[in-house]
Amino acid sequence: MGCCSSASSAAQSSKREWKPLEDRSCTDIPWLLLFILFCIGMGFICGFSVATGAAARLVSGYDSYGNICGQKNAELEAIPNSGMDHTHRKYVFFLDPCNLDLINRKIKSVALCVAACPRQELKTISDVQKFAEINGSALCSYDLKPSEYASSKAKGLCPKLPVPASAPIPFFHRCAPVNISCYAKFAEALITFVSDNSVLHRLISGVMTSKEIILGLCLLSLVLSMILMVIIRYISRILVWILTFLLILGSLGGTGVLWWLYAKQRKSPKEMVIPEQPQIAEANLRALLIYAISATVFTVILFLVMLVMRKRVALTIALFHVAGKVFIHLPLLVFQPFWTFFALVLFWVYWIMTLLFLGTAGSAVQNEQGFVEFKISGPLQYMWWYHVVGLIWISEFILACQQMTVAGAVVTYYFTRDKRNLPFTPILASVNRLIRYHLGTVAKGSFIITLVKIPRMILMYIHSQLKGKENACARCVLKSCICCLWCLEKCLNYLNQNAYTATAINSTNFCTSAKDAFVILVENALRVAAINTVGDFMLFLGKVLIVCSTGLAGVMLLNYQQDYTVWVLPLIIVCLFAFLVAHCFLSIYEMVVDVLFLCFAIDTKYNDGSPGREFYMDKVLMEFVENSRKAMKEAGKGGVADARELKPMASGASSA
């Protein structure tokens, strides 16, 4: 957002003078202003809901007559029992707390302000009367005295019997049933399990008793993730070729087994076939033939793809090796996912609190039953939609900031010839450039993802609402649209990530960077495919390895714990945490590899290793280029570098 400087004309005139990271300029400023205005709108929604009294109604709660519990209230026009003094009645009590309205997301019950929640189950009306006399907390309508609870006029004005034991929700002053089994009709499968107190007790005791083991296993998954990142660097070549060999061997073995089963089934004596099921045997034989043919086609295609991509696998190995060096020089990259997760959690907490405020904001309106509801009227009623869009856009914005930060740091590392001249903290330097120059680019890229996510979410909502009502054709169309939008979202996410890298290198706006990134990805499709298949498969196996190792260690440790019998829940917690940690670490590794590929592509475009045009790349990548040159010379294709096969951005110099 600081002062902007245009790219120098010298860099535009000759690609020989192209130097990355030298000239910076602000990009997509209108989109940054739009995003700031949108955030101001989000702040207005929060301020409006708090200013209209929603904060007090949310925290303290209110009864069915519009009175806020725990304070004096002003009388509402034409609303009976409004304007009451509830200074000593601080808790909201529902006469029928288990009567839920899932569609409108509320409890269909009369709500009263009471002085205390019934801590013990009240089975009869006499118990309710005794509770009111002893505790001074009337659980029936305000119009009734405790002495009238057993009379005929109390019909429908007292809570449904038996009154379940309840306790106030911390900070929100609502009496909630202690035993949630009364909601069984809404979650039968879950409550059947949870309502078994013995099982629930063993699960909770298992978690509490093994908290030290759980903490230790979570720390183990963290250490394993760091060790795996180091291992990938040093044995990437062996690991890639082992995985490739096992994949081809597994395909050949599976195809051979299918053909063997088909031949054996075909040659088996007819009398061995059950007389009553000749059609089933014939169908099984035909299915085996189809499977064998499909496996053969898949194996042949896989073998041809591996044959064509064998040289490109070498680039994947080199990039993984260099990525390991990046983490050695930029150790703060490892912690980047945690800062992003922390920022997301803070925003989500703010969003949920504002959503709760909105749920109690508005003016008092009397419904058909004569009770009070708070509703927002006029154009302000559409604030819900604005708030939902804000959840998606700002969440995507935070994730995009992480991608731009990582891209900027890795680009700085790559295009610094002498690594001793790196900034003291490249990550912080990248954050500084992001804030000063590229927030508009990030806002635009995240908005494009939002435009795809919103229609997909709407279609998913429509599909869930029409479940069991729509015909087969409509269901197929909806699922197809959802699937297409999901694929489009994944493609745009990948393109956005590469566009941020191009922006970090050339300081161009989002559209120019996305166009340049798309060109390089298309012209190097085979290399991109090799990196994204072989590399992603390696990282996926790494995640599985960390989860399995942590889970195995958990089984061995928990097996010797004799204080409880059920340790499934602790093991599930540990495995989920291990997967989350492994995913965060290895996803950053994958992002670094993708950034290095684009840097390598541009490096080979503008430099050829001659004096004045020296490569920026690492020694390992230089060896790859030299090997490619030698292979092309031997094939009689001349000594041009690997750039014939590798065609990077064509407009980088002119837009830098």
Side-chain angles (χ1 to χ4, degrees):
M1 293 176 60
C3 295
C4 306
S5 60
S6 60
S8 63
S9 58
Q12 296 179 357
S13 60
S14 172
K15 63 181 181 180
R16 185 183 182 87
E17 298 178 9
W18 176 82
K19 293 182 180 180
L21 307 177
E22 277 200 345
D23 298 306
R24 296 284 169 186
S25 59
C26 296
T27 56
D28 297 298
I29 294 179
W31 282 94
L32 175 58
L33 296 176
L34 177 62
F35 181 75
I36 292 174
L37 289 175
F38 185 87
C39 291
I40 293 174
M42 292 285 290
F44 168 78
I45 292 175
C46 181
F48 169 81
S49 58
V50 173
T52 54
R57 286 193 289 268
L58 174 65
V59 176
S60 301
Y62 60 94
D63 62 15
S64 295
Y65 309 102
N67 301 300
I68 299 176
C69 300
Q71 68 178 49
K72 293 182 179 180
N73 295 275
E75 185 176 355
L76 301 176
E77 186 178 354
I79 303 294
N81 291 326
S82 64
M84 300 183 68
D85 184 1
H86 287 322
T87 305
H88 302 291
R89 299 171 179 173
K90 299 181 179 180
Y91 304 103
V92 180
F93 175 77
F94 298 95
L95 300 190
D96 188 5
C98 296
N99 187 10
L100 298 181
D101 184 358
L102 294 181
I103 296 178
N104 296 314
R105 300 174 298 280
K106 64 181 181 180
I107 300 176
K108 294 177 62 176
S109 169
V110 176
L112 302 174
C113 292
V114 298
C117 302
R119 299 288 182 149
Q120 303 293 329
E121 184 181 50
L122 307 178
K123 298 181 179 179
T124 64
I125 195 66
S126 299
D127 294 337
V128 176
Q129 184 176 354
K130 188 179 299 184
F131 179 82
E133 293 171 350
I134 296 175
N135 297 280
S137 183
L139 303 183
C140 294
S141 175
Y142 301 137
D143 300 326
L144 291 176
K145 298 178 180 179
S147 59
E148 299 175 324
Y149 285 2
S151 63
S152 58
K153 62 184 294 187
K155 185 177 181 180
L157 300 179
C158 286
K160 183 179 179 181
L161 298 175
V163 179
S166 60
I169 300 175
F171 307 109
F172 288 98
H173 302 89
R174 269 79 166 178
C175 296
V178 176
N179 185 1
I180 61 173
S181 60
C182 67
Y183 302 117
K185 61 181 179 180
F186 303 105
E188 294 180 1
L190 176 64
I191 300 304
T192 300
F193 175 73
V194 173
S195 61
D196 184 351
N197 292 328
S198 61
V199 175
L200 181 61
H201 176 73
R202 290 200 302 271
L203 285 175
I204 295 176
S205 64
V207 174
M208 296 305 296
T209 309
S210 62
K211 55 183 181 293
E212 293 85 3
I213 295 178
I214 292 176
L215 184 61
L217 291 172
C218 291
L219 184 62
L220 175 64
S221 66
L222 193 65
V223 174
L224 288 177
S225 298
M226 293 183 178
I227 293 175
L228 182 62
M229 293 176 68
V230 177
I231 291 175
I232 290 177
R233 176 198 169 187
Y234 289 104
I235 66 168
S236 56
R237 182 183 300 275
I238 300 174
L239 192 59
V240 167
W241 288 118
I242 288 176
L243 292 176
T244 304
F245 175 76
L246 290 177
L247 184 60
I248 295 176
L249 187 64
S251 300
L252 290 173
T255 303
V257 168
L258 286 172
W259 280 114
W260 176 73
L261 289 174
Y262 172 73
K264 183 179 179 181
Q265 186 88 1
R266 187 176 183 183
K267 293 179 181 179
S268 60
K270 298 293 184 182
E271 56 269 14
M272 293 181 62
V273 179
I274 302 175
E276 292 82 4
Q277 299 178 332
Q279 294 181 349
I280 296 178
E282 186 69 24
N284 289 338
L285 184 64
R286 188 164 53 250
L288 273 176
L289 178 61
I290 294 173
Y291 295 153
I293 294 174
S294 301
T296 302
V297 173
F298 173 78
T299 302
V300 171
I301 294 175
L302 178 65
F303 183 76
L304 292 175
V305 169
M306 289 296 179
L307 190 65
V308 173
M309 294 173 57
R310 70 188 187 280
K311 294 181 180 180
R312 293 151 184 93
V313 172
L315 176 59
T316 304
I317 296 171
L319 289 173
F320 268 75
H321 185 84
V322 177
K325 291 185 178 181
V326 171
F327 282 96
I328 293 176
H329 286 87
L330 311 178
L332 289 181
L333 274 179
V334 174
F335 302 101
Q336 191 62 33
F338 297 103
W339 296 116
T340 303
F341 180 74
F342 180 70
L344 284 173
V345 168
L346 287 181
F347 170 68
W348 290 338
V349 169
Y350 158 81
W351 189 88
I352 292 173
M353 292 303 299
T354 304
L355 183 69
L356 294 175
F357 288 148
L358 277 176
T360 54
S363 304
V365 178
Q366 194 171 19
N367 60 17
E368 297 176 354
Q369 290 78 29
F371 301 128
V372 171
E373 294 180 355
F374 290 93
K375 294 184 177 180
I376 302 174
S377 59
L380 294 178
Q381 62 184 314
Y382 300 107
M383 288 191 298
W384 292 90
W385 293 102
Y386 191 98
H387 196 57
V388 171
V389 173
L391 171 66
I392 302 173
W393 191 4
I394 297 179
S395 297
E396 290 295 328
F397 178 84
I398 295 173
L399 293 173
C401 285
Q402 173 186 268
Q403 294 174 349
M404 180 67 86
T405 300
V406 173
V410 177
V411 165
T412 301
Y413 169 84
Y414 186 97
F415 288 107
T416 301
R417 297 189 192 276
D418 187 355
K419 306 308 179 189
R420 292 174 297 182
N421 295 331
L422 282 170
F424 178 69
T425 53
I427 289 288
L428 294 181
S430 178
V431 171
N432 178 54
R433 289 197 301 270
L434 166 65
I435 295 174
R436 292 182 63 188
Y437 303 111
H438 303 312
L439 284 177
T441 299
V442 171
K444 188 174 184 179
S446 56
F447 180 76
I448 292 174
I449 300 297
T450 304
L451 288 181
V452 179
K453 275 190 177 240
I454 291 176
R456 183 167 67 87
M457 293 177 64
I458 293 175
L459 290 178
M460 291 174 65
Y461 175 77
I462 294 174
H463 183 265
S464 63
Q465 292 297 311
L466 297 179
K467 209 165 192 178
K469 300 178 182 179
E470 78 279 15
N471 55 36
C473 181
R475 184 167 58 251
C476 180
V477 171
L478 274 176
K479 288 185 176 179
S480 299
C481 292
I482 293 172
C483 181
C484 291
L485 287 173
W486 181 85
C487 294
L488 178 60
E489 180 185 335
K490 294 300 177 183
C491 293
L492 287 175
N493 267 321
Y494 183 70
L495 181 60
N496 278 9
Q497 180 180 326
N498 286 278
Y500 299 145
T501 303
T503 298
I505 298 172
N506 297 323
S507 289
T508 50
N509 60 36
F510 179 82
C511 290
T512 303
S513 300
K515 181 193 68 175
D516 294 339
F518 180 76
V519 169
I520 190 173
L521 293 175
V522 170
E523 294 183 344
N524 299 276
L526 290 177
R527 291 187 180 277
V528 174
I531 294 171
N532 286 311
T533 52
V534 179
D536 290 358
F537 186 61
M538 280 181 56
L539 296 178
F540 171 75
L541 290 182
K543 297 175 188 178
V544 173
L545 177 63
I546 292 172
V547 172
C548 292
S549 301
T550 308
L552 180 61
V555 170
M556 295 175 65
L557 291 174
L558 294 170
N559 188 44
Y560 291 100
Q561 187 78 19
Q562 302 298 326
D563 296 336
Y564 54 91
T565 56
V566 178
W567 37 264
V568 175
L569 187 58
L571 194 61
I572 291 176
I573 293 173
V574 167
C575 289
L576 287 176
F577 183 82
F579 179 80
L580 177 63
V581 170
H583 177 73
C584 289
F585 275 83
L586 297 181
S587 294
I588 288 292
Y589 203 101
E590 177 186 359
M591 195 181 303
V592 170
V593 170
D594 290 337
V595 174
L596 286 173
F597 172 74
L598 273 183
C599 293
F600 172 75
I602 295 180
D603 196 7
T604 54
K605 170 68 177 179
Y606 294 104
N607 301 301
D608 57 8
S610 61
R613 297 179 63 182
E614 295 84 359
F615 287 122
Y616 287 92
M617 67 183 67
D618 188 86
K619 186 185 298 183
V620 176
L621 291 174
M622 286 186 184
E623 292 176 357
F624 168 78
V625 173
E626 290 301 322
N627 292 335
S628 299
R629 285 176 173 176
K630 292 178 182 178
M632 296 177 74
K633 285 181 179 180
E634 293 173 0
K637 295 184 178 180
V640 182
D642 195 49
R644 282 196 183 182
E645 204 175 8
L646 184 67
K647 300 177 181 178
M649 302 179 182
S651 59
S654 61
S655 57

